[in-house]
Amino acid sequence: MKVLKAGTLIEDNGKIGVIARVIRMGKLDFTSDILSWRDNYEIHYLDGTITIIGVKAFARLVEDNKIKI
């Protein structure tokens, strides 16, 4: 699944939300790349809830039909 754009509407367990922004992260500048951050979505729901979820976790929820795009 490709990374979605900000403004994408979703349905998450009956709640409507929008991807407000894509938070891109890179690896730390160490000799070892054990530590790294992941790409994340910041999602704003109509009920005022804001959540941040990893792109890979989001993709798994879409595959499991728990989130609809």
Side-chain angles (χ1 to χ4, degrees), residues 20-62:
R21 68 180 171 146
V22 179
I23 305 167
R24 299 276 187 180
M25 294 292 187
K27 292 183 178 181
L28 293 173
D29 190 16
F30 284 92
T31 55
S32 169
D33 52 3
I34 293 173
L35 297 174
S36 66
W37 288 293
R38 60 188 178 169
D39 289 343
N40 296 282
Y41 293 126
E42 180 179 315
I43 302 172
H44 292 215
Y45 293 94
L46 292 180
D47 67 359
T49 305
I50 298 172
T51 190
I52 296 177
I53 184 170
V55 169
K56 289 181 181 179
F58 184 91
R60 282 193 306 271
L61 291 169
V62 170

